[in-house]
């Protein structure tokens, strides 16, 4: 609520003067009668006489309401129109069995899913999609602005549903294929893996060259500690994995080269906090342009105050002239 002409509130300073004037007029109109004793009229006060004393209050409230109306009250309705030039982002995530390694708490996959979901939540104006890969690649979710769907797919990711292996080239190529027809000014792939390309018919560097030609920037993330980690080394007959300590091997040179040729950057995540900071860094590097237009609309509210004021004055006049009328 705002008032277009607040200086009219100065009229309220007249209320004490009007009250004094009214009291003086009342004393002149109603002369005092001296009686030797009030014993004969004690307790004869009626409901009408009590209510009559409140009639000036109706007039005062009517005056206040009319002053508020003169001050021109308005309701302010704010509206925001957001024009966002978003970025198209494809997440390409490794689902090979080694992602169950426990050098991260509880394991690489669960931490990767959690950090990716946090990243998605922080990009409300971008289209985001998801490609997963192990020994083969699969588009889990095409580019979409419905981030709840992306988050849902990320939460459901599991190792073992794809043929095992690490087809980095195919995972990258699958993400490039989803971005090749994008009209966005900025196109980005976040490639996360914990191993070395060992299967697949699409070479990683070939996919990187294709991304470069299409103006797609690749941020590559190598996830895994330095040294050995408790890692799945075989699969049991019930489908579960047998874990043992194994050397962590990540083709950092390849990931660094892919990122460099596309104008991106390579990161190494050795623990949970490292991965969180990497996603924060990428979030800062790839800022979405947002233009916000604020529109203010005003709704006039003085009509109701005029009505309230007139109702109080009318009620005072009618009651004074009828039910609460006093004889001269």
């Amino acid at each position: 609520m705002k008032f277009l002409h607040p200086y009219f509130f100065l009229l309220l300073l007249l209320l004490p003067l009007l009250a004094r004037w009214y009291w003086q007029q009342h004393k002149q109109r109603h002369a005092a009668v001296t009686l030797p004793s009030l014993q004969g009229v004690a307790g004869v006060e009626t409901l009408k006489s009590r209510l009559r004393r409140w009639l000036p209050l109706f007039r005062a409230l009517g005056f206040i309401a009319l002053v508020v109306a003169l001050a021109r009250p308005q309701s302010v309705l704010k509206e925001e129109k957001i024009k966002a030039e978003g970025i198209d982002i494809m997440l390409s995530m490794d689902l090979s069995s080694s992602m169950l390694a426990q050098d991260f708490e509880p394991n690489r996959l669960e931490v990767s899913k959690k950090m990716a979901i946090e990243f998605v939540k922080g990009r409300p104006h971008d289209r985001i999609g998801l490609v997963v890969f192990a020994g083969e690649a699969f588009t889990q979710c095409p580019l979409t602005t419905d981030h709840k769907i992306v988050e849902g797919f990320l939460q459901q990711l599991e190792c073992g549903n794809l043929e095992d292996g690490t087809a980095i080239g195919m995972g990258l190529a699958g993400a490039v294929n989803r971005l090749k027809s994008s009209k966005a000014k900025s196109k980005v792939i976040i490639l996360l893996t914990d191993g070395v390309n060992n299967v697949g018919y699409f070479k990683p560097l070939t996919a990187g060259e294709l991304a470069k030609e299409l103006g797609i920037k690749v941020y590559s993330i190598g996830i895994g500690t330095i040294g050995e980690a408790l890692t799945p080394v075989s699969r049991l007959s019930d489908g579960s994995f047998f874990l043992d300590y194994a050397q962590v091997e990540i083709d950092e040179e390849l990931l660094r080269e892919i990122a460099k040729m596309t104008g991106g950057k390579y990161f190494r995540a050795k623990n949970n906090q490292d991965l969180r900071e990497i996603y924060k860094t990428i979030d800062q590097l790839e800022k979405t342009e947002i233009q916000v237009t604020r529109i203010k609309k005003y709704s006039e509210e003085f009509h109701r105050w005029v009505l309230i004021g007139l109702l109080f004055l009318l009620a005072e006049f009618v009651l004074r002239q009828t039910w609460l009328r006093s004889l001269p």
Side-chain angles (χ1 to χ4, degrees):
M1 179 77 74
K2 62 168 290 187
F3 296 92
L4 194 61
H5 306 305
Y7 45 81
F8 276 108
F9 283 118
L10 293 173
L11 292 174
L12 295 178
L13 297 176
L14 296 174
L15 276 176
L17 299 176
L18 293 172
R20 181 178 177 82
W21 175 83
Y22 177 82
W23 177 248
Q24 291 175 343
Q25 293 294 314
H26 180 77
K27 288 173 65 178
Q28 291 176 7
R29 287 196 306 268
H30 299 82
V33 177
T34 304
L35 296 173
S37 172
L38 296 177
Q39 197 170 22
V41 294
V44 299
E45 187 179 29
T46 65
L47 175 62
K48 286 186 179 182
S49 62
R50 287 197 297 267
L51 291 178
R52 192 178 295 117
R53 291 201 296 264
W54 290 97
L55 283 177
L57 180 61
F58 278 68
R59 190 176 299 180
L61 290 174
F63 175 75
I64 293 171
L66 292 177
V67 169
V68 173
L70 286 172
R72 194 84 174 271
Q74 295 178 328
S75 292
V76 183
L77 308 174
K78 291 184 179 179
E79 181 178 326
E80 288 190 352
K81 291 186 177 180
I82 298 177
K83 180 183 178 182
E85 292 188 3
I87 299 171
D88 281 355
I89 302 173
M90 285 299 300
L91 305 175
S92 184
M93 188 174 294
D94 192 342
L95 285 186
S96 58
S97 59
S98 58
M99 286 291 290
L100 296 175
Q102 297 179 3
D103 48 350
F104 284 62
E105 181 62 41
N107 57 55
R108 295 173 188 170
L109 177 61
E110 289 304 316
V111 175
S112 298
K113 288 160 57 175
K114 180 181 177 181
M115 300 309 169
I117 289 171
E118 288 181 7
F119 176 79
V120 171
K121 287 181 177 178
R123 312 288 302 195
H125 304 295
D126 299 323
R127 291 200 306 167
I128 300 178
L130 175 64
V131 169
V132 295
F133 65 93
E136 52 189 336
F138 176 74
T139 299
Q140 192 77 33
C141 180
L143 288 167
T144 180
T145 53
D146 190 342
H147 293 173
K148 289 295 182 183
I149 293 177
V150 182
E151 293 168 22
F153 278 120
L154 283 166
Q155 290 171 347
Q156 295 169 15
L157 292 182
E158 294 180 355
C159 294
N161 293 330
L162 297 176
E163 180 184 344
D164 205 13
T166 307
I168 296 175
M170 293 181 66
L172 181 56
V176 170
N177 185 55
R178 286 292 172 177
L179 287 170
K180 67 180 181 181
S181 58
S182 169
K183 303 296 182 183
K185 290 186 177 180
S186 185
K187 295 173 281 188
V188 171
I189 293 173
I190 300 177
L191 173 66
L192 183 144
T193 183
D194 68 344
V196 177
N197 187 76
N198 52 25
V199 292
Y201 55 82
F202 217 103
K203 294 182 179 179
L205 288 179
T206 302
E209 289 288 350
L210 184 58
K212 178 183 176 181
E213 291 297 321
L214 294 172
I216 300 171
K217 193 182 297 183
V218 179
Y219 290 101
S220 54
I221 302 173
I223 179 170
T225 189
I226 303 295
E228 293 187 338
L230 193 60
T231 308
V233 293
S234 61
R235 196 162 190 176
L236 304 178
S237 57
D238 61 358
S240 62
F241 290 95
F242 176 75
L243 279 66
D244 198 0
Y245 282 93
Q247 188 71 26
V248 176
E249 295 182 5
I250 300 175
D251 196 341
E252 292 191 279
E253 184 178 345
L254 172 67
L255 297 176
R256 190 176 288 109
E257 188 173 353
I258 291 172
K260 184 178 179 180
M261 73 168 62
T262 60
K265 192 173 180 180
Y266 169 68
F267 302 91
R268 176 68 183 266
K270 298 183 288 293
N271 53 52
N272 296 32
Q273 189 57 34
D274 279 355
L275 190 57
R276 175 175 276 110
E277 292 302 321
I278 288 167
Y279 272 111
K280 286 182 179 179
T281 301
I282 296 173
D283 183 54
Q284 292 297 317
L285 290 172
E286 295 296 331
K287 279 297 182 184
T288 301
E289 293 184 14
I290 302 174
Q291 295 179 351
V292 179
T293 303
R294 288 185 173 88
I295 300 172
K296 287 187 178 180
K297 296 180 180 179
Y298 300 96
S299 174
E300 297 288 354
E301 302 292 337
F302 72 90
H303 308 88
R304 68 178 66 183
W305 290 100
V306 171
L307 180 61
I308 291 171
L310 292 177
L311 285 175
F312 273 120
L313 294 176
L314 180 62
E316 190 267 349
F317 176 78
V318 171
L319 289 172
R320 187 179 295 278
Q321 298 300 320
T322 55
W323 188 51
L324 300 181
R325 183 176 181 178
S326 60
L327 296 175

